[in-house]
């Protein structure tokens, strides 16, 4: 009888440890911020005097993760993104050679996040999914390289409404003792249709011109911090 009770106790302890190992928090919520890098469509051919350059911007996003398991999550976000393009006329001096344009948009991504443990509490995560982009300013505009010494200009005609996209990325991160997660990563987002049509104009009476495409894709260098929402539930239970 004593041996049976001992074996039963060991079995209960084993099942309890297994359940504890398999338990995990369902919800994480937190901010994400970083740097964006964007440019005009790489397949366009520019005249010899012109070149396309990277345009940097900033973004901020709020993320929610629903954890399907300790290794997989569904992620939904909503954020503000600054992106754009830069065109150079390499024959001009540095003060007037560049024409830079920035646009703001609302970005709503939804996708999957997969995690593999590296060592201890650190992990590698891959992210992929789709997103919707809503540009704030959809009116046609003309931007000058230099209002005081105008040599070339760009006439931009943005697309209207919703612009779909897909994204892929990876990050290195860790989990704290309180269950909160942090990540440092890179993510690439590519729109599935053109965001703006561009026309670069120069010469007397703007008689010389060539078209460019701006698809609106960008690379993000990002930092994410996600709070384990179970911690807030525990705080509430403390007062009861």
């Amino acid at each position: 009888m004593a041996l049976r009770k001992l074996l039963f106790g060991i079995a209960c302890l084993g099942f309890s440890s297994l359940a504890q190992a398999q338990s995990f928090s369902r919800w994480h919520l937190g901010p994400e911020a970083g740097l964006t890098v964007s440019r005009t469509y790489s397949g366009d051919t520019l005249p010899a005097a012109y070149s396309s350059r990277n345009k940097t911007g900033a973004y901020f996003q709020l993320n929610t993760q629903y954890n399907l398991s300790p290794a997989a999550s569904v992620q939904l976000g909503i954020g503000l993104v600054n992106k754009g393009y830069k065109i150079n006329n390499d024959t001009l001096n540095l003060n007037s050679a560049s024409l830079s344009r920035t646009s703001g948009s609302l970005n709503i991504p939804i996708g999957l996040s997969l995690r593999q443990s590296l060592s201890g509490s650190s992990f590698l995560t891959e992210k992929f999914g789709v997103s919707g982009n809503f540009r704030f300013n959809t009116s046609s505009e003309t931007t000058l390289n230099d209002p005081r010494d105008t040599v070339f200009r760009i006439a931009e005609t943005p697309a209207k409404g919703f612009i779909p996209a897909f994204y892929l990325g990876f990050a290195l991160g860790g989990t704290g003792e309180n269950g909160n997660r942090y990540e440092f990563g890179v993510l690439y987002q590519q729109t599935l249709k053109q965001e703006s049509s561009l026309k670069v104009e120069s010469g007397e009476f703007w008689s010389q011109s060539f078209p460019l495409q701006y698809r609106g894709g960008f690379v993000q260098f990002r930092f994410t911090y996600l709070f384990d929402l179970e911690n807030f539930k525990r705080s509430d239970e403390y007062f009861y």
Side-chain angles (χ1 to χ4, degrees), residues 29 180 227-238:
L29 174 70
N180 295 346
F227 295 94
D228 182 352
L229 295 189
E230 286 292 328
N231 292 329
F232 296 94
K233 184 186 296 186
R234 295 185 192 107
S235 298
D236 293 339
E237 291 172 351
Y238 178 79

Side-chain angles (χ1 to χ4, degrees), residues 24-194:
F24 59 95
S25 175
R26 286 290 183 183
W27 291 98
H28 280 76
L29 174 70
E32 177 177 303
L35 180 73
T36 64
V37 180
S38 54
R39 61 186 300 156
T40 57
Y41 179 52
S42 58
D44 285 339
T45 301
L46 283 73
Y50 292 88
S51 60
S52 181
R53 305 293 178 90
N54 290 330
K55 171 69 177 174
T56 59
Y59 84 98
F60 178 83
Q61 185 167 292
L62 183 65
N63 290 327
T64 300
Q65 279 191 357
Y66 177 75
N67 299 299
L68 302 171
S69 73
S73 304
V74 175
Q75 180 170 302
L76 173 66
I78 182 168
L80 302 175
V81 178
N82 278 328
K83 55 186 180 178
Y85 53 85
K86 182 185 291 187
I87 302 297
N88 261 37
N89 184 320
D90 300 324
T91 65
L92 304 178
N93 62 57
L94 293 177
N95 293 329
S96 58
S98 292
L99 188 157
S100 182
R101 178 91 168 105
T102 302
S103 61
S105 64
L106 182 68
N107 188 44
I108 304 177
I110 181 170
L112 288 176
S113 176
L114 305 178
R115 290 179 297 278
Q116 299 85 46
S117 178
L118 295 178
S119 62
S121 61
S122 62
F123 58 82
L124 172 68
T125 179
E126 301 85 32
K127 299 177 183 293
F128 57 93
V130 296
S131 68
N133 289 268
F134 301 87
R135 181 166 169 152
F136 295 134
N137 185 2
T138 57
S139 59
S140 299
E141 292 189 26
T142 298
T143 307
L144 309 177
N145 70 301
D146 187 339
R148 297 167 297 179
D149 183 21
T150 303
V151 176
F152 70 103
R153 67 184 187 181
I154 293 183
E156 178 178 359
T157 305
K160 306 293 184 181
F162 167 79
I163 301 173
F166 70 89
Y167 67 86
L168 297 166
F170 70 93
L172 293 173
T175 304
E177 293 182 359
N178 56 3
N180 295 346
R181 295 180 188 145
Y182 60 88
E183 299 174 4
F184 296 91
V186 178
L187 186 142
Y188 172 70
Q189 183 169 150
Q190 178 60 61
T191 55
L192 299 178
K193 70 175 187 178
Q194 187 170 309

Side-chain angles (χ1 to χ4, degrees), residues 181-217:
R181 295 180 188 145
Y182 60 88
E183 299 174 4
F184 296 91
V186 178
L187 186 142
Y188 172 70
Q189 183 169 150
Q190 178 60 61
T191 55
L192 299 178
K193 70 175 187 178
Q194 187 170 309
E195 183 172 314
S196 292
S197 297
L198 310 178
K199 186 177 182 182
V200 183
E201 300 174 324
S202 62
E204 187 176 8
F205 304 113
W206 309 113
S207 58
Q208 301 173 22
S209 65
F210 62 92
L212 285 177
Q213 302 177 65
Y214 175 59
R215 296 189 64 87

